[in-house]
Amino acid sequence: MGNEDAYVTLGLKAWKAQIDRADKLFGGLSSEEVLREIAPGRNRLLYLWGHLTAVHDAMLPLLELGDQLHPEFDVAFVSNPDKSQAAIPSHEQVRQAWTRVNGELSRGFERMSSSDWLQRHSAASAEDFAKDNSRNRFAILLSRTNHLSYHLGQALLARK
């Protein structure tokens, strides 16, 4: 196994570990518990879970693994703050979308070689990538793993 393979394997293990943590944390919550705020006046757990789902869904086109499966989540969970929309997807809709999106990512990751990870992501132009080859798909995986970990830390605050 070369260095590229080892780094990709490590990155994917970190991603999977954070997904497993999120599955355990969010998957065990009732429809009432997901409405708890992280802290008074802050985001609810449902919003964080929907936000993470939307961000992961946006990875599909970034990594050229397909189109977003739930673009409607962007309005509810990315471009607007929590509690600003009268209607957002339900607990069950977020659960189903989370499972579907992360399953599709997992299947896509399995098809990618180490060299695929080092290709530019779709938001980077060829010119930008030529100037900075760190604008690659692996950088997306790492940044989204960190993003997930950050929000899981927030979500743990609501359990207290």
Side-chain angles (χ1 to χ4, degrees), residues 56-78:
H56 292 185
D57 196 19
M59 289 172 66
L60 291 166
L62 268 176
L63 301 176
E64 298 182 9
L65 298 175
D67 296 327
Q68 280 186 268
L69 301 173
H70 298 278
E72 71 278 7
F73 274 39
D74 289 346
V75 172
F77 299 117
V78 177

Side-chain angles (χ1 to χ4, degrees), residues 96-134:
Q96 289 174 1
W98 170 263
T99 300
R100 184 176 178 216
V101 166
N102 287 303
E104 191 65 27
L105 283 170
S106 180
R107 286 185 289 281
F109 293 170
E110 289 172 6
R111 294 189 307 265
M112 292 175 69
S113 68
S114 295
S115 62
D116 289 337
W117 284 104
L118 298 177
Q119 301 302 310
R120 75 178 170 93
H121 58 75
S122 67
S125 69
E127 296 80 26
D128 287 342
F129 186 69
K131 293 177 196 170
D132 180 7
N133 67 0
S134 70

Side-chain angles (χ1 to χ4, degrees), residues 26-42:
F26 291 117
L29 298 173
S30 70
S31 293
E32 293 168 358
E33 290 171 320
V34 295
L35 298 178
R36 272 193 292 203
E37 295 178 332
I38 303 299
R42 305 302 291 186

